[in-house]
Amino acid sequence: MPRPVTVYGATKLAVENYLRVYHMSQGVDCRVARLSNPYGLGQNLTRNQGLVSTFVANAIAGRPLEVWGDGSVVRDYIHVSDVARALVALATCTLEPTGDLPVFNVGSGKGASVNDVIAIIETKLAAKVEVRRNPGRAIDLPVSVLDISKARETLGWSPELSLQEGIGLLIDELQGTGSSHRI
């Protein structure tokens, strides 16, 4: 049973519960994809959302990366091309009726710290980036990594791009050297 510890998480669970009611009482075919932390081309880089995409864009532009805490916070990052494939698999699969709302985690299933992300960006750009460290925030859970085994088993889906590959692709795309989008 999910027990959110943030307002953001509680809001997402509330929406799932509304869908669950419609699914169970009205027979509406609802399916839930719980996304981890997607990144990739097309993300709005002016809203300071999406750590990987924002960090890559700032690093390319020579702007400092703002880090809250010591950078040890671990998240599950997934490239948008893998998210798109997961959503297509979820939308097109035939699910056995179980009576409950089908919920699938969509992530890489692997954790990477903020410091890991910075190190990958520096390696891919072959340059050091400026990092500004701010005090840690109480709202940041130390570790959040999704179990994607149900999506693997039921949907036959798994992510194709590693974080290193995805960051490399994003850098190429933002610098205009990338090939067509992978979906």
Side-chain angles (χ1 to χ4, degrees), residues 37-84:
N37 295 276
Y39 67 93
L41 195 63
Q43 195 162 22
N44 184 341
L45 301 174
T46 63
R47 295 181 53 198
N48 282 333
Q49 283 185 304
L51 180 130
V52 172
S53 297
T54 301
F55 275 19
V56 167
N58 285 344
I60 289 171
R63 293 187 296 264
L65 310 185
E66 297 283 334
V67 175
W68 298 95
D70 64 3
S72 64
V73 168
V74 172
R75 294 293 179 266
D76 183 336
Y77 301 103
I78 184 166
H79 193 270
V80 293
S81 64
D82 285 324
V83 171

Side-chain angles (χ1 to χ4, degrees), residues 83-161:
V83 171
R85 287 185 323 89
L87 295 176
V88 169
L90 180 57
T92 59
C93 74
T94 302
L95 297 173
E96 296 295 323
T98 63
D100 200 10
L101 183 66
V103 177
F104 295 87
N105 289 334
V106 176
S108 69
K110 299 175 183 167
S113 72
V114 173
N115 291 330
D116 293 335
V117 171
I118 293 168
I120 294 167
I121 293 169
E122 289 179 332
T123 298
K124 295 292 183 182
L125 290 176
K128 290 295 275 178
V129 297
E130 181 185 348
V131 177
R132 289 192 188 148
R133 300 209 182 258
N134 301 301
R137 303 177 297 188
I139 62 168
D140 288 328
L141 299 173
V143 178
S144 178
V145 178
L146 301 185
D147 175 359
I148 61 171
S149 58
K150 182 177 176 185
R152 285 182 199 269
E153 295 162 12
T154 306
L155 305 177
W157 168 87
S158 61
E160 292 180 354
L161 290 177

Side-chain angles (χ1 to χ4, degrees), residues 155-171:
L155 305 177
W157 168 87
S158 61
E160 292 180 354
L161 290 177
S162 69
L163 184 57
Q164 292 82 357
E165 292 168 326
I167 287 175
L169 179 62
L170 179 58
I171 288 170

